[in-house]
Amino acid sequence: MSHDPNCIFCKIIAGQIPSKKVYEDADLLAFHDIHPWAPVHVLIIPKLHLASMADLTDEHAPLLGKMSVLAPKLMKELGVNNGFRTVVNTGPDGGQEVYHLHMHAMGGPRPWLKG
């Protein structure tokens, strides 16, 4: 698998940087975001280093599908029952800060929102 020795997410995958893991298999790692935007906020990342969604090709479709199917499973396991949000930021104008493809899955009550 491709690995970037300077990538923070590659270092998390390699175990060089600790994370609060919620899921791991041969292809993916999911862990709690250290700066959550919601009560439940996990990042789902491929173990294959892909800088962004812009780098995906047809061969990556199963990987992205696996990430998309994992998000609702994790939200349910983490007690999110009233909906959740998934976000993939791509490139500088898309708000991407870490250049390793990742999906944010966020849910749980957000008391700062007005009803």
Side-chain angles (χ1 to χ4, degrees), residues 36-96:
W37 291 10
V40 178
H41 184 168
V42 298
L43 300 176
I44 302 170
I45 64 172
K47 290 186 173 180
L48 173 67
H49 180 82
L50 294 159
S52 78
M53 191 172 243
D55 295 326
L56 295 177
T57 65
D58 289 343
E59 74 181 76
H60 300 116
L63 184 63
L64 194 60
K66 190 172 182 180
M67 292 170 70
S68 297
V69 169
L70 181 59
K73 178 182 175 205
L74 291 178
M75 290 294 100
K76 184 175 182 181
E77 289 175 3
L78 294 169
V80 175
N81 299 307
N82 200 29
F84 61 94
R85 182 178 193 189
T86 55
V87 176
V88 178
N89 299 319
T90 304
D93 288 341
Q96 187 173 3

